Amino acid sequence: MEVKTSLLDNMIGVGDMVLLEPLNEDSFIENLRNRFDHNEIYTYIGSVVISMNPYRSLPIYTPQKVEEYRNRNFYELSPHIYALADEAYRSLRDQDKDQCILITGESGAGKTEASKLVMSYVAAVCGKGQEVNKVKEQLLQSNPVLEAFGNAKTMRNDNSSRFGKYMDIEFDFKGDPLGGVISNYLLEKSRVCKQPRGERNFHIFYQLLSGASDDTLMKLKLDRDFSKYNYLSLDSANVNGLDDAASFRTVRNAMQIVGFMEAEVQSVLELVAAVLKLGNIEFKPESRINGFDESRVKDKNGETIEMCELLGIEQSVLERAFSYRTVEAKMEKMSTTLNVAQAYYARDALAKNLYSRLFSWLVTRINESIKAQAKTRHKVMGVLDIYGFEIFEDNSFEQFIINYCNEKLQQIFIELTLREEQEEYIREDIEWTNIEYFNNAVICDLIENNQNGILAMLDEECLRPGTVTDDTFLDKLNTICAEHQHFESRLSKNSKFLTDHSLPHSCFRIQHYAGKVLYRVEGFVDKNNDLLYRDLSQAMYKATHSLMRQLFPEGNPAKVNLKRPPTAGFQFKASVGVLMKNLQTKNPNYIRCIKPNDKKVAHIFTDSLVCHQVRYLGLMENVRVRRAGYYLCSALTEMLCSCSYHPLDAFFLCPQLFTLEERRRACLEDLATLIQKIYRGWKSRTHFLLLKKSQVVVAAWYRRYAQQNKYQKIKSATLVMQSFIRGWKVCIEYMPVSLQMQKYFLGLKTTTMSPMDNTWPTQPYGFLEGAHTELRRIFHLWRCKKYRGQFTEEKKSVYEEKLEASEIFKDKKALYPSSVSQPFKGDYLEIQKNPKYQKLNGAVEEKVLLADLVNKINRANGKGSPRLFLLTKSNFVLADQKTGQVKASVPLPDLASVSVSTQSDGFFALKLKEGSASASKGDFLLSSEHLIEIITKLHRIGTTAADRDQINIDISDE
């Protein structure tokens, strides 16, 4: 992989605008266009990064790129956001300087993606380890959660941040992340109830309906159809490039990584579902006797019931909160009814407050998980991702607040990059030309001045008694700000549009640093008041849902606060002031984001749009200030030191720099050519010697192989010829008979060694009849002998018993076939080894031929008793199973016969001879699993004994 050694090597256009010649607006825009067309979306102004949104994925954020920019000089490689992130991280780690990265630009310019890239780079280059990796993963995974709940699709951006976010990432002395703290600013909660045409509500609503399982939606009482919810716009419900179902799975996984419990996730989704349900609640007028109309909830689809079930609140409590308003003043309470319009206002106010408070709870909950645990002092890197400057056809209170915030950020940029640098040039007595620039402090003062600023007058209108409307607020502006040079209205003294209908009566215009913006005053007072009726707060506090009391603490009747809550404008102004103080304590790093076109498509560069952004961002003035004094010299010195120049050579004008750079490049090319020449010669010579050596070895091995192969072929041919000649001679003499005899004897090979196999080759000639028969007989006797020779005496005895069992029972007893495969074991009780039967073993003097457990059948009641059955050559014995005591011992000569049935049962009867000594004991009816073996052994003993009659075996069905 090629690694550039200088900012100027192989550069498309000029990578640092400080070196641009000639410097004017046209060359500035042309340089941006040239680099953009070649996928170079980053350009420097000194240490400031200009980022062009490519509206497509580029292969410049790989792990290899991270390693390439890691611990490298800022100017050493081509411009990249990684270079700024690395510079900020190393300054924090090595120089102990707190850093902040300010990302500014219009909506859709790529600020959110830039903040993600900075965080992912810092996470990649900082330390490793199980705990550190867990912290990094939690910090990174907080983004998908906040984007889902705080971002939305707008006309200018498919993933527009509708809230401001500032994250302080805390590091230890080694530079390893310890945790972080997130601050959020002014969620655009009016979007919950109404969205401009072509825009969407917050992502989470669409993600939930698209990606949640059917079971989850059933628990939340939701349907996948977007059209069933009044708060969801349908014209832009589906956005190309956004997979809401996949995003929902990502959000669920991110919440788990950050540290949300499953019960907490379910509670959050329940509140999201409740907001959707709120939008479907409708009201109907109900006439009263005194002539006033009051609202009643019209719950035709059961939305109110389902929402109450989700929140754990009684339906009557919620319906009353939508129908009445209680006002408290000096210990007195007065209840008034709400008409339909007021009820709808209360419903939307509740929805907006519920969602915005849920969002604030999410930020607080994330902070609990990602906060640093160590108590020691931390190094801090702040990343600011806040809404961009916005100019819409219809601009209301939200755009006014957003643009005010951007004015404050621009003021910091001016303070730190333009004014302070020029003042430092004066202190250092550096000869330079003063650079004129627009200082927007006058606009910030117009908005935030405590006495006569627009926000102060708006608060005054909201708090004063009497009739207050948006028109009275505009009248006050026309009175107080009439002569301000950046304020215009139909009645202001600066207005030149008294007859111009582009400036309506209900609007005012402010000349911002980014251009003129027309604001419609409709809704300013209500949105600034941000009031939620106390009845609704108290109703929400009564809900049993796990989060409601945390979200609506003012609803606690025991802690009623009659003091009016601060306005939205006051809160935002205070939070912006805290943010500005925080940023001023850190070393700033700037990323100025620019969108190349309004169509949100790749490869389109609109000169007029880019020029407008360059002008209001003050980028030309920034370049001129940085070229005017020692900043240029120090930057060039740092860059040229990496190229082996002496630092003192840096103090020259930009054209001289390019001349020397060309000479340096020519010398480097000549040196590279010489090195390549020597290297290629050495490489070719080495390759040739290796080829020559290999050729000699291959040739030697091949010649030997060829000769061996030739010899083997000659030898094989000779043997073939000899065999054919010899065979030909034999065939002439013995061909007729020999062929048949050969076929006959070869056929004997196929005869198996099994004595059961009766196959034998056919007789070829009549004269072989005697030999044929004798060979067959001899072969059969021989293989039988071979087969018998394998038997031991014990095995022979077993087979003899098996043969005798076959003669007795085959085709007579149904139980017999199942016993063929079971070997005759004899002693099934192991009587010689089992100590339990030592007494019994002593009582039997002869060798036990069979020991088995049988059932003795009582003829009186048919019940069986387990008995031990022992058989010797002279007696059979029945003994008690538990005690081993002999119950009966019968000499075999007294046994007359054994009777069994033809069935598959195990019963057998032992009949004694009449008049024998044992006849008094009576016959025995027994049952055994080894009947075949017992009777075979009885028969075998009776047959081999010379002093007694053979035992009769009776097999019948009787």
Side-chain angles (χ1 to χ4, degrees), residues 145-162:
V145 179
L146 295 180
E147 284 185 19
F149 287 86
N151 288 22
K153 189 264 182 189
T154 66
M155 293 297 294
R156 300 187 176 188
N157 188 359
D158 290 343
N159 188 32
S160 178
S161 298
R162 307 319 300 162

Side-chain angles (χ1 to χ4, degrees), residues 565-583:
T567 62
F570 178 85
Q571 294 180 63
F572 186 74
K573 175 184 172 182
S575 60
V576 168
V578 174
L579 174 63
M580 296 303 123
K581 290 181 181 178
N582 191 354
L583 296 178

Side-chain angles (χ1 to χ4, degrees), residues 470-739:
D470 296 317
D471 291 333
T472 61
F473 165 62
L474 183 58
D475 292 339
K476 179 165 288 192
L477 289 184
N478 290 331
T479 302
I480 305 298
C481 305
E483 298 183 0
H484 198 286
Q485 57 182 340
H486 291 279
F487 177 86
E488 296 174 355
S489 72
R490 298 279 293 186
L491 300 179
S492 68
K493 295 183 179 179
N494 285 333
S495 176
K496 299 176 182 178
F497 308 99
L498 294 177
T499 59
D500 187 354
H501 296 289
S502 66
L503 185 60
H505 288 282
S506 61
C507 299
F508 66 92
R509 181 183 286 139
I510 294 180
Q511 176 68 54
H512 286 283
Y513 78 98
K516 292 183 178 182
V517 182
L518 181 70
Y519 297 103
R520 189 177 301 277
V521 296
E522 181 182 354
F524 261 62
V525 173
D526 283 342
K527 292 176 180 179
N528 188 52
N529 268 325
D530 193 25
L531 292 178
L532 180 67
Y533 296 153
R534 184 175 289 110
D535 301 78
L536 287 172
S537 297
Q538 292 177 348
M540 294 300 103
Y541 189 82
K542 293 178 182 178
T544 59
H545 192 275
S546 59
L547 293 182
M548 297 306 291
R549 292 197 172 188
Q550 299 179 52
L551 301 184
F552 295 90
E554 75 277 11
N556 187 351
K559 298 180 180 180
V560 176
N561 186 1
L562 299 180
K563 184 179 179 181
R564 191 183 185 94
T567 62
F570 178 85
Q571 294 180 63
F572 186 74
K573 175 184 172 182
S575 60
V576 168
V578 174
L579 174 63
M580 296 303 123
K581 290 181 181 178
N582 191 354
L583 296 178
Q584 288 173 350
T585 63
K586 298 177 174 63
N587 182 55
N589 303 269
Y590 293 97
I591 301 174
R592 310 290 266 176
C593 296
I594 294 177
K595 60 179 182 181
N597 61 78
D598 276 329
K599 298 179 180 180
K600 299 182 287 188
V601 295
H603 306 296
I604 295 181
F605 188 97
T606 306
D607 288 15
S608 58
L609 177 63
V610 174
C611 181
H612 172 70
Q613 295 172 82
V614 167
R615 286 176 181 173
Y616 78 67
L617 289 173
L619 299 184
M620 289 294 297
E621 292 83 354
N622 191 4
V623 175
R624 293 191 181 100
V625 169
R626 292 182 182 256
R627 285 166 61 106
Y630 76 92
Y631 179 85
L632 172 63
C633 301
S634 62
L636 295 178
T637 301
E638 185 176 5
M639 181 179 66
L640 294 175
C641 283
S642 65
C643 305
S644 302
Y645 278 89
H646 192 279
L648 295 178
D649 295 337
F651 292 91
F652 41 70
L653 297 177
C654 290
Q656 295 171 316
L657 168 65
F658 280 97
T659 301
L660 289 179
E661 181 61 27
E662 288 297 327
R663 292 179 61 186
R664 182 185 74 90
R665 185 175 298 164
C667 291
L668 288 176
E669 289 177 357
D670 293 340
L671 181 59
T673 302
L674 179 61
I675 293 173
Q676 288 177 351
K677 174 184 175 182
I678 296 173
Y679 173 75
R680 288 171 181 167
W682 170 83
K683 186 176 181 181
S684 298
R685 175 67 178 169
T686 304
H687 184 62
F688 167 77
L689 293 177
L690 288 173
L691 286 177
K692 183 179 179 181
K693 183 178 179 181
S694 301
Q695 184 182 12
V696 172
V697 173
V698 171
W701 279 88
Y702 176 78
R703 284 195 292 269
R704 185 178 72 172
Y705 165 76
Q707 290 300 322
Q708 289 177 342
N709 194 31
K710 183 178 180 182
Y711 168 77
Q712 291 295 335
K713 287 182 178 179
I714 294 173
K715 182 179 179 181
S716 298
T718 303
L719 292 175
V720 171
M721 290 176 64
Q722 288 176 348
S723 64
F724 271 101
I725 291 173
R726 289 169 182 162
W728 175 72
K729 288 181 178 180
V730 173
C731 286
I732 291 176
E733 297 177 12
Y734 304 104
M735 184 175 294
V737 177
S738 62
L739 287 176

Side-chain angles (χ1 to χ4, degrees), residues 873-890:
K873 288 184 177 181
S874 303
N875 302 279
F876 75 87
V877 178
L878 292 175
D880 187 80
Q881 179 192 12
K882 295 183 179 179
T883 63
Q885 183 179 0
V886 175
K887 295 292 186 178
S889 178
V890 179

Side-chain angles (χ1 to χ4, degrees), residues 79-105:
H80 202 292
I81 196 172
Y82 284 170
L84 179 136
D86 187 76
E87 184 76 12
Y89 175 70
R90 285 192 291 118
S91 297
L92 175 138
R93 181 192 64 192
D94 302 336
Q95 302 176 22
D96 204 22
K97 294 181 179 178
D98 287 351
Q99 304 289 317
C100 65
I101 298 177
L102 306 181
I103 307 172
T104 57

